[in-house]
């Protein structure tokens, strides 16, 4: 996501760098705490990863415009309720709406969502992507520091068995490299 804030002629609040790691029967989503407006840090301790849905069995994290992401969290919660907590079905239906609805189409955010079975990336293009990986692990990352976190996690994955340690170490690498990512990490596990 572009953090220049030029969208719609107004400065946008942006939140960045989310990583999801599924390994060893455990799924972790971690996100940094930085929210930027243009090139200025507006908040260093935002919570961009949270549990959603009935029973809070789904974890979601966002990168992009903060207000847009909250709209998507709410929409995903409604879809989870509508489809009895089936994350993949709810994600597909949200992605359809996101792509076709005139209002939602303008939202600027990406999401990583997970439950005990699935780890998915949702985009405004209508994509519901399951990250590649073997039967033992899957890793996805989004946001301005996402590529740094993804590369670090893939390198660590070969030597580390704990999904949370992989996510935390990858976020530390991203925070050291990306100016839109900080080291105040929120972690949720499924």
């Amino acid at each position: 996501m572009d953090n220049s804030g030029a969208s719609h002629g107004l400065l946008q609040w942006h939140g960045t760098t989310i990583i999801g790691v599924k390994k060893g029967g455990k799924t972790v989503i971690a996100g940094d705490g930085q929210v930027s407006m243009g090139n200025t840090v507006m908040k260093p301790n935002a919570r961009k990863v949270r549990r959603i849905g009935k029973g809070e069995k789904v974890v979601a994290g966002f990168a992009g415009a903060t207000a847009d992401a909250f709209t998507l969290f709410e929409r995903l919660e409604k879809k989870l309720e509508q489809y009895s907590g089936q994350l993949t079905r709810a994600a597909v239906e949200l992605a359809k709406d996101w792509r076709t609805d005139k209002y939602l189409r303008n939202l600027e955010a990406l999401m990583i969502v997970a439950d005990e079975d699935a780890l998915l990336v949702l985009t405004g293009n209508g994509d519901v992507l399951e990250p590649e990986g073997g039967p033992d692990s899957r890793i996805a990352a989004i946001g301005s520091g996402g590529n740094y976190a993804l590369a670090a996690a893939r390198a660590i994955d070969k030597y580390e068995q704990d999904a949370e340690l992989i996510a935390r170490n990858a976020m530390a690498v991203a925070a050291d490299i990306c100016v839109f990512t900080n080291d105040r990490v929120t972690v949720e596990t499924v």
Side-chain angles (χ1 to χ4, degrees), residues 117-135:
D117 299 318
L119 174 65
L120 306 168
V121 177
L122 309 180
T123 77
N125 294 327
D127 300 318
V128 177
L129 307 168
E130 186 172 17
E132 68 177 46

Side-chain angles (χ1 to χ4, degrees), residues 1 7-8 12 65 68 72 97-109 124:
M1 293 258 117
S7 177
H8 309 296
Q12 293 282 320
D68 293 353
L72 293 169
D97 290 351
W98 195 353
R99 183 178 174 121
T100 59
D101 182 273
K102 189 175 182 178
Y103 168 73
L104 292 178
R105 199 173 30 226
N106 292 317
L107 298 182
E108 297 180 5

Side-chain angles (χ1 to χ4, degrees), residues 161-181:
Q161 297 306 308
D162 185 274
E164 183 173 337
L165 284 175
I166 293 169
R168 286 186 181 278
N169 286 320
M171 289 298 296
V173 169
D176 283 346
I177 299 170
C178 178
V179 297
F180 295 107
T181 303

Side-chain angles (χ1 to χ4, degrees), residues 46-52 58-62 70 73 186 188:
R47 188 170 167 82
K48 297 178 280 185
V49 176
R50 58 192 53 191
R51 293 183 169 281
I52 61 171
V58 173
V59 177
F62 73 87
F70 286 120
F73 277 149
T186 300
E188 289 287 349

